[in-house]
Structures are given as structure tokens and as C-alpha cells.
Amino acid sequence: MKQQFLSSLFALRSYFDWLPAQLVSILMLIVLATVSFYASKLVSVIILRIFGNREDAVLRKIILAMRRPVRVMVVLAVLLSALPAASGFTWETTQLLQKLLLFMGILMVGYAAIVAFRIMTEAYLQRITSRDHSDDIMIRTHQTQIRVLRRLTEILVGIVTVAAALMTFDSVRQYGVSLFASAGAASLVVGLSARGLLTNLLAGVQIAITQPIRMEDLIIINGDWAWVEEITSTYVVLRVWDWRRHIVPISYFLENRFENWTHNSAAIIGVVFLYVDYEAPIETIRGFLGEIIKTCPLWDGKVFDCQVADCDAQTLKIRIIASARNALQSWDLRCDIREKIILRMRAECPEALPRSRFAVVPPRPGEEAWPSADAISPPIDRPPPGSYMGPGTVMPRGGADL
């Protein structure tokens, strides 16, 4: 087929022998590129019409994304096949054009592979996230693995594609061979300088496999609640409750201790402490709490209890525990319990509210009920009125104190 194609091109060239050979070759390549581009465009439109009415949206997205790279690859393939018929160029020019076309073709193949892989992974993520599950560890596990491994795959495919494209040139190939041959001290320097990058890349692979954190996990870092918003190949983006963002190297989660509140399940038990007076009717308050918890829609109905956990010289400390589906609902549930039980206690048993006390002890037999002034404060020895107390100082007459 290639021989027939070249024969047709040579036959076509024979009609333009009256023009310079180099000009004919350039015009022939331009015409072939234009015809192949529009032919591939027509084919892609036909394919889209065929798959347009089908339910497979993923295939349609892949076809839409592949239109441009496929058109470019078709044009490059046609030009590469037609170069032997371009007799107007010198041998060196023909070789350079072949290498350039091959270089661009390899880059487009790698680009198309990355785009197709990204579309397929995004479609899978959308499919699993569209399921109505409020606490599905498997979904978040798949999200984390796909996002991290996808980035690593894209980096690897990009490096291999660029390396393969550059190796089409002899000068670059020889330079690479000589560079690898003399990489003694240079490789050590490069390895030390890229140690942080390589550490984070390897940590990303380990996190994707071992899953210490997942997408939308709730963790405690530096005293803040934070949700895992994004996991890249080198760092993790954490979203704090007030919309701040922590950018943390991914290796941090393998080298440091942190709390993960949603590692196995998003459900959590919240604790509320209530301080009441010693006169508080505990069973009545326990009944109030039982009625209140049943009216809270955030309670998942699994765990609830109320106990006197501690006491001091003034108050009793009541510990209330209640479970919720996730940490945010647990926070709101605890606030709701506090508000409702305080309002109920103020309205129905105000004696349960904390109070400060002091006692008046009656005197023992033979003691005065109230001590005299001399007993409270010892008498002060005052000099007689008008006596000398130093230069310029005289006590006023009449016994008045200054």
C-alpha cells in the first residue's frame, strides 16, 4: 500500500516538472497535510454521530478529546510516508524532516495516552461518587488510589515520552549515553538535590497503597480540624473548617503522628459535660436528656448515655455521650444538647443550676456572737494630744486622727 501511495505521488509530480523540484515538494506536502487533516476531521464527525445517541458517555468523551491529537498524528503519518517522494530536498534535509516528524508523532502519542487515561479515571471517579453513600470507605479509598497513582502515571508517561522523542536525534542520544557514562559525581549531586522530591514521590506511592489518609478524611493537625481536599504526588492540601488551607508535604503523614477520625468509619461519639449543683435531681435530668436526644435529628440512634463522672467542692460533673454519623454532625449535636438541656433545667428544675454557698456557724457556749472591735483589730497606741512628734509635726488637739 505504501508503494502504491508513493507511485501515485511520483505520477502526480510528473505533471509539474516545469516547476522547481523543491517548490513542488513543498506544495505537495502542504496539499497532503491539508487533505489528511480535513479527511480525519470528517471521519471524527462521522464517528461522533454514530456514538452520539448511545449511553456510553465515556467513549464519547474520549473521542471528543482525541480529535485533535489524532488529526495531528494522521497528518504526521501522511507526511512521513510522503517524504521519500519529495525529491526536491537534499538527503540531509529529508533526514531532518523525518526526525522532526517522528519526534512530534511520539509526543502526540504520549499526550493522547495521558488524556485518554485521565478521562477514563475521571469517569470512574464520577461514577463511584454519584452513589448515595454518606459513609463509604471503599469509595474514598478508590478516590485516593486513583488520584495519586494517576498523577504518578502521568509523570512516568511524560518522562518516557520525552525521553523516547529526544532519542530520535543522534546528537541527543550520544549526549545521553556520554552523560550516563560520566555520571559519577554528577549523579550523586543530582540525587542529593532531588532527595526531597524522590522522598515525596515514593511517599505518595506508599500512601496510595497503605491508605493512612484518604480523600475527604477528617484529620487533626496542629490542633486544627482539617479535611483532605487534594492529594498530589508531592503534597497534600488540607481544608480547615474556616476555609484556610494547609499545604503539607506528603511525606509528613509517614513520618509524623496525626489523628484520623474517619479512617475506618466516619461515625463518631461526641461528649458533653454538664456541671450541676449537688441538689440537682439526677434521675430527672437523665429523663430530660432522654427526651431531648430523641428530638435531635443528628443523633444516629446507636450510642447515648448519661453518668455522673466527677465532682468537686461546688458542683457535680455529668458526662453525656451521643453518637453521630460524622464529626460535623457530632459537633452540631453536642451544641444542640447543651442548649436544650440548659433551657429545660432553667424552666423545670432551677435548683440544679450551679450555686456558690457559705455557712453562718452559731457561737459555742461562752463565746460572743460577734467579736468586739478590739478582738478584730488590736488597739493603736496614740500619743497624747499636742505632743511633739518631730520637726514641724504636732498632733491636733481634740484627739482627731490624721
Side-chain angles (χ1 to χ4, degrees), residues 41-80:
K41 183 177 180 180
L42 179 61
V43 172
S44 63
V45 171
I46 295 174
I47 293 176
L48 284 175
R49 288 183 179 179
I50 293 174
F51 292 96
N53 298 325
R54 298 191 178 183
E55 297 180 356
D56 194 353
V58 179
L59 183 59
R60 181 177 177 82
K61 288 182 179 179
I62 293 176
I63 295 174
L64 285 172
M66 290 293 104
R67 287 186 301 174
R68 292 182 180 178
V70 168
R71 290 172 188 172
V72 174
M73 286 189 287
V74 169
V75 172
L76 294 175
V78 171
L79 292 179
L80 191 60

Side-chain angles (χ1 to χ4, degrees), residues 89-124:
F89 300 132
T90 61
W91 184 86
E92 290 80 6
T93 304
T94 303
Q95 293 296 315
L96 179 60
L97 289 176
Q98 286 181 348
K99 291 177 181 179
L100 287 175
L101 293 175
L102 185 59
F103 175 81
M104 296 175 61
I106 294 174
L107 291 181
M108 292 308 300
V109 170
Y111 171 75
I114 291 175
V115 170
F117 182 69
R118 182 177 298 179
I119 292 174
M120 290 187 291
T121 53
E122 284 295 335
Y124 179 74

